[in-house]
Amino acid sequence: MPIYNIKRQHHRFLVNTLSYKSLDMYPIGSVYTSTINTDPKELFGGEWKTIDNNNNTVIYMWERIS
């Protein structure tokens, strides 16, 4: 299994284990940042748009829009 997939699975495990599934943590207008390019919709639900981060491929950012 590629390391990327292991990191992605570990990230999802942490999110689920820490009970961060609630959108209450991320009200509309909140910004979610991660070093793993996993759409927060997969993790938390809701609607998110990608924020341009000047081609920085180390940090991924999304804003919750609904």
Side-chain angles (χ1 to χ4, degrees):
M1 178 180 293
I3 290 182
Y4 175 77
N5 287 339
I6 293 170
K7 285 183 179 180
R8 187 175 214 166
Q9 288 176 355
H10 185 254
H11 185 254
R12 285 188 184 141
F13 170 77
L14 288 176
V15 168
N16 291 335
T17 301
L18 298 173
S19 301
Y20 288 139
K21 295 289 273 185
S22 173
L23 282 175
D24 294 339
M25 282 186 54
Y26 297 102
I28 294 172
S30 294
V31 174
Y32 174 76
T33 60
S34 179
T35 56
I36 300 172
N37 192 12
T38 301
D39 190 332
K41 183 176 185 173
E42 293 179 34
L43 302 171
F44 311 111
E47 294 295 321
W48 300 80
K49 72 175 182 177
T50 304
I51 298 174
D52 182 20
N53 60 358
N54 298 322
N55 297 320
N56 181 346
T57 57
V58 178
I59 302 293
Y60 302 94
M61 299 186 301
W62 296 266
E63 178 183 1
R64 182 167 172 221
I65 55 175
S66 68

